[in-house]
Amino acid sequence: MSKKKTVLGVLAAAIALAYAGSTWWAGNKVKSVYDSAFAQLPQQSALVRVTERSYERGFLGAVSTVTLELGCPADAAVAGAPPADTEEEDGEDAAPTPSRPLRLSFRDTIRHGPLAGGSLAAATIDSELLLDIKGQAEARKVFGDARPFGAHTRVGFDGGYASEITLAPGQFADEGKTRVSWQGAQLRVRVDGARTEAHYELALPGFEAADLRNGVNLKMGKLGARADLDIRHGWMLATGKSAGRLDALEFTVTGKKADADAALAKPFPAIVLQGLDAASDATIENGLYTGTATFKGTGSVGATRIDGFEMASSTRRIDVAGYRKLAEAWTRSAAANGCVRGKASQAALRALADQLAPDLKAMAKPGPEVGLDRLLVEIDGQRAEFSYSVAMAGVTDEDLQLPGNALLLKRGVLKANGRLPVKWIEKIAESASGSQAPSPEVAALMIEQFEQQGYLKRAGDDVTSQVEFSGGQLKLIGKPVELPAK
């Protein structure tokens, strides 16, 4: 054997050994991620459980099979909840038994890297929904010969991943009762290895639903959404920017009879919304969460054309640590998720509320605020506007010793403002009175009476009103209003 052949042989062996080592490493990493994810899943929600799981690992790949149970456990007497007494279950106070949990089984076919499925990656994963013979027959009724669900994931060497999840087009009909159809759906998700950044894109081409018994129809056009998020504080406190657009949304009621003996229902004016745009932005600074969201579009209600509407809301100064603790306790609670019945549920919820009360009151210290910053509707060149905010202000350590209701009365702040065109008031009065339309003079007299009583003010072609509660004092258009005695 020549020296050259010897060198090439050693090099080939080294490459093979390196590849084998990389494949072994990739296999270990992927299995570790699976083990960790499924171990944490039941701890995150009272509504998700892993009932069966297997992981068959080979050198070049693996197959993971898992069955998830979604919803309340089949036994309503959840461990850790106060037991329900027999009288309660048989008496008038007995609560309905939670619906039967749904079981779904998934199979992941995993190919280990570094050359996984023809690409340079730690692994690629193809996921599919497993159905028994009965389930397959039902799926064919809805999806035809198409595979109902599929997902392809590429796992990077840093632990990050990119997934593409698809739902096939389908339709479901319950003869004479309901009909639902959709044109498929696609979701792309990308998460970095450090689990600090995430990006997603959602596409839903169209959706329709109909209640055939009552003549109620909902039709949704193309929906698209995307987001770039910071998830270092968890998905519940994800920050960053997101945006979405819905081409059209139509809601109609034709007034069909619910049954043969029922009276003909009165048709409801068709609601059509078009060019709906939504956007949100959220940040966390100094341990406090701030988020804003907007929603706007055009449309019509019956024959009335809506030239434009816009809604803007905000959440400010929410303590991140406190919110996370409250949210996690709530999602893990069987009672909070409706899995405990009757008086046992009430007792469990009271116990949970007592447990979380100190954390909830502590969240008042930074001065949290939520509100509708602006709700604007424009019709025929005239605008109606409304806004409100609810907040806590000036809370001290001493205040935190007060009972919850006393703390709200002392430091709670409520503000609300409204503006409505006089012409709209005339139309509302006309609708309320039937065919007899009140004259503008009558509407003006009504407005004048309310103005004299201090409920509103006339401002040109509009009427305005303002309500404020702070420091335990209620004011209407700037004038104090005496609260009822305790």
Side-chain angles (χ1 to χ4, degrees):
M1 180 182 295
S2 67
K3 187 175 182 180
K4 184 177 180 179
K5 288 184 178 179
T6 302
V7 172
L8 290 175
V10 171
L11 182 59
I15 292 174
L17 185 60
Y19 187 89
S22 298
T23 302
W24 177 83
W25 172 86
N28 277 348
K29 188 171 184 64
V30 171
K31 186 176 186 303
S32 175
V33 169
Y34 269 76
D35 291 342
S36 176
F38 286 120
Q40 294 175 15
L41 193 59
Q43 302 172 15
Q44 297 171 354
S45 172
L47 300 178
V48 181
R49 291 162 300 284
V50 178
T51 59
E52 296 178 30
R53 185 182 169 227
S54 67
Y55 194 95
E56 300 174 6
R57 180 181 171 183
F59 179 68
L60 296 177
V63 175
S64 170
T65 305
V66 63
T67 298
L68 301 179
E69 189 175 75
L70 310 178
C72 296
D75 182 2
V78 179
D85 55 68
T86 305
E87 293 182 4
E88 169 192 78
E89 293 180 356
D90 296 333
E92 294 181 359
D93 293 335
T97 302
S99 57
R100 228 176 135 183
L102 173 66
R103 285 197 174 193
L104 295 175
S105 297
F106 298 89
R107 178 168 58 209
D108 292 347
T109 301
I110 305 163
R111 296 175 179 84
H112 298 156
L115 293 176
S119 64
L120 189 62
T124 59
I125 304 169
D126 289 292
S127 305
E128 59 181 320
L129 178 65
L130 298 180
L131 299 171
D132 57 20
I133 295 177
K134 182 179 179 181
Q136 292 174 16
E138 293 298 325
R140 276 193 293 272
K141 294 178 184 178
V142 176
F143 299 97
D145 294 330
R147 186 172 68 169
F149 165 88
H152 178 76
T153 301
R154 181 181 178 277
V155 182
F157 293 102
D158 63 348
Y161 64 88
S163 295
E164 182 172 320
I165 304 166
T166 57
L167 177 70
Q171 58 182 352
F172 167 81
D174 188 355
E175 190 65 32
K177 296 180 180 179
T178 58
R179 183 179 63 248
V180 180
S181 65
W182 57 94
Q183 299 176 30
Q186 184 180 68
L187 174 64
R188 290 190 176 98
V189 180
R190 187 175 66 250
V191 178
D192 71 335
R195 300 295 187 270
T196 59
E197 296 179 3
H199 169 84
Y200 78 77
E201 295 180 19
L202 171 68
L204 182 63
F207 175 86
E208 292 186 47
D211 179 351
L212 303 176
R213 293 171 296 182
N214 299 299
V216 179
N217 299 277
L218 175 68
K219 185 176 181 180
M220 193 171 75
K222 181 181 178 182
L223 170 66
R226 59 180 295 145
D228 291 294
L229 305 174
D230 183 330
I231 57 171
R232 69 189 68 201
H233 295 284
W235 286 99
M236 288 187 296
L237 285 162
T239 58
K241 298 180 183 294
S242 63
R245 181 177 178 83
L246 177 61
D247 287 348
L249 180 68
E250 182 177 341
F251 178 79
T252 59
V253 179
T254 60
K256 288 186 177 181
K257 292 183 178 181
D259 55 61
D261 299 326
L264 187 65
K266 183 179 179 181
F268 190 81
I271 299 175
V272 179
L273 304 179
Q274 298 170 318
L276 306 177
D277 289 307
S280 66
D281 189 8
T283 60
I284 292 178
E285 293 183 10
N286 301 320
L288 300 178
Y289 175 94
T290 296
T292 59
T294 59
F295 180 67
K296 58 184 179 181
T298 62
S300 62
V301 178
T304 303
R305 172 70 184 174
I306 301 174
D307 300 321
F309 65 88
E310 181 178 352
M311 182 172 64
S313 60
S314 63
T315 303
R316 297 182 172 89
R317 298 181 297 278
I318 305 300
D319 180 71
V320 169
Y323 175 81
R324 181 188 291 112
K325 187 173 182 179
L326 293 173
E328 289 178 351
W330 192 263
T331 56
R332 293 172 183 172
S333 168
N337 285 280
C339 297
V340 183
R341 294 182 291 169
K343 293 179 180 178
S345 172
Q346 298 172 16
L349 286 174
R350 281 195 299 269
L352 181 63
D354 292 342
Q355 172 193 337
L356 299 177
D359 298 291
L360 184 60
K361 287 201 294 183
M363 289 178 66
K365 189 80 180 290
E369 178 182 349
V370 297
L372 181 65
D373 300 333
R374 180 176 64 261
L375 174 60
L376 182 151
V377 180
E378 183 174 345
I379 299 174
D380 294 332
Q382 295 181 317
R383 291 186 172 190
E385 298 182 38
F386 176 74
S387 65
Y388 76 86
S389 64
V390 180
M392 299 292 289
V395 177
T396 65
D397 290 332
E398 183 180 353
D399 292 332
L400 296 180
Q401 306 306 313
L402 295 171
N405 291 339
L407 178 61
L408 283 173
L409 285 173
K410 183 178 180 181
R411 298 300 184 185
V413 177
L414 167 67
K415 295 180 181 180
N417 295 274
R419 176 181 291 269
L420 191 66
V422 173
K423 291 289 186 183
W424 292 18
I425 296 177
E426 294 174 356
K427 288 185 177 181
I428 293 171
E430 179 181 344
S431 299
S433 61
S435 59
Q436 183 64 38
S439 66
E441 290 77 12
V442 172
L445 181 60
M446 293 169 54
I447 293 171
E448 183 179 352
Q449 290 176 343
F450 280 115
E451 187 173 10
Q452 289 175 352
Q453 294 171 9
Y455 294 122
L456 51 82
K457 275 188 177 182
R458 179 77 182 251
D461 294 331
D462 298 331
V463 295
T464 66
S465 188
Q466 182 187 63
V467 177
E468 179 179 345
F469 176 85
S470 61
Q473 176 67 62
L474 178 65
K475 294 181 181 179
L476 185 58
I477 315 182
K479 295 181 179 180
V481 176
E482 187 174 344
L483 294 172
K486 294 182 180 179

